[in-house]
Amino acid sequence: MKRIVKKFLIMIVTLLVVSFLVFLALSVIPGDAATNMLGTQATPEKIEALREEMGLNDPFFVQYFRWLKSCIMGDFGTSYSYHMSVSSLIMDKLPITITLTLMSFVIIFVVSIPLGVFIAKHKGSVIDRVFTVFNQIIMSIPPFFSGIIITLVFGLILGLFTPGGFVSYKKDFAGFLVYLIFPAFAIAIPKIAMTVKLLKESILEEYQKEYLRTVYSR
């Protein structure tokens, strides 16, 4: 329980530090939301009036803690690009993120366990050596690059899906799941390689302990 609480507190502190640094960076770079909304052709008077209305003329710490208080209350503000509340945008995309995460986890679970057991069983063989080299290469590939390769091979060459296409879960849930299969694989592939490596090491370590216990007992 203490470990969970500690991890949770570290996560909260990390989020606060990251949010502060991002807020600081946005306040330092030229331009602001008022200029972006009105455009560069707007008069200085209009920009200044909008800045005052949006509270952009307030001191930095006043702006940050006002934003932080709103976030804690569940109000993430308004997106000036989409002219919608940020909360609505998040809630609209949250089911997609959760579904993609679950699909990736299932793929990792289904592929990693039998593969890890198989490789551990053939330790020291040609299969093990070839897989070790291949596994190291896979672990070094970021998901976005594997996504590009999957799109090129399965989307453009084989035509199994339309690159850039998407089916909303609100219209066709089955089609929505089909379109998430390839992105889920792109996310899962590096994790599969890492999980297989860890599982193989764990199995061999446990086997070695069991072997030593048997020797000592004899």
Side-chain angles (χ1 to χ4, degrees):
M1 186 63 183
K2 290 182 179 179
R3 182 179 177 84
I4 296 175
V5 173
K6 182 180 178 181
K7 291 289 185 181
F8 180 76
L9 292 176
I10 292 175
M11 181 188 71
I12 295 298
V13 172
T14 303
L15 289 175
L16 288 174
V17 172
V18 171
S19 68
F20 180 83
L21 293 177
V22 171
F23 209 92
L24 180 62
L26 292 175
S27 67
V28 172
I29 60 176
D32 54 26
T35 305
N36 293 334
M37 289 178 65
L38 296 177
T40 56
Q41 303 300 321
T43 62
E45 292 77 12
K46 288 184 178 180
I47 294 177
E48 186 63 25
L50 185 57
R51 284 179 55 85
E52 187 67 31
E53 179 183 342
M54 298 173 65
L56 298 177
N57 289 331
D58 295 336
F60 169 78
F61 285 102
V62 173
Q63 295 184 51
Y64 175 73
F65 284 109
R66 181 172 58 217
W67 171 84
L68 185 61
K69 179 182 177 182
S70 298
C71 286
I72 294 174
M73 299 300 292
D75 180 12
F76 298 101
T78 302
S79 170
Y80 302 114
S81 299
Y82 295 96
H83 303 287
M84 295 174 59
S85 67
V86 176
S87 300
S88 300
L89 291 172
I90 293 175
M91 293 306 296
D92 185 54
K93 304 301 181 183
L94 192 59
I96 303 174
T97 302
I98 293 175
T99 305
L100 187 58
T101 302
L102 291 176
M103 291 179 67
S104 302
F105 177 78
V106 170
I107 293 172
I108 294 170
F109 182 81
V110 170
V111 176
S112 299
I113 292 181
L115 192 56
V117 173
F118 176 80
I119 297 301
K121 184 178 179 181
H122 294 81
K123 179 182 180 299
S125 65
V126 176
I127 296 176
D128 181 31
R129 290 194 290 269
V130 172
F131 181 81
T132 299
V133 175
F134 183 72
N135 204 46
Q136 290 296 121
I137 296 173
I138 293 298
M139 279 196 296
S140 64
I141 298 177
F144 77 87
F145 185 76
S146 59
I148 293 174
I149 299 300
I150 289 174
T151 301
L152 176 64
V153 175
F154 295 97
L156 296 178
I157 297 177
L158 299 180
L160 297 181
F161 67 94
T162 304
F166 181 72
V167 177
S168 174
Y169 62 92
K170 297 177 182 178
K171 296 180 180 179
D172 181 7
F173 190 72
F176 164 71
L177 293 178
V178 169
Y179 257 95
L180 287 187
I181 289 176
F182 292 101
F185 266 103
I187 296 172
I189 287 173
K191 303 294 188 299
I192 289 173
M194 187 180 301
T195 306
V196 169
K197 182 177 182 294
L198 294 175
L199 182 60
K200 171 193 168 185
E201 293 174 353
S202 299
I203 292 174
L204 294 176
E205 183 180 354
E206 189 62 30
Y207 176 78
Q208 185 177 15
K209 289 180 180 178
E210 186 65 29
Y211 175 78
L212 291 175
R213 281 196 294 265
T214 304
V215 172
Y216 289 147
S217 65
R218 290 181 179 178

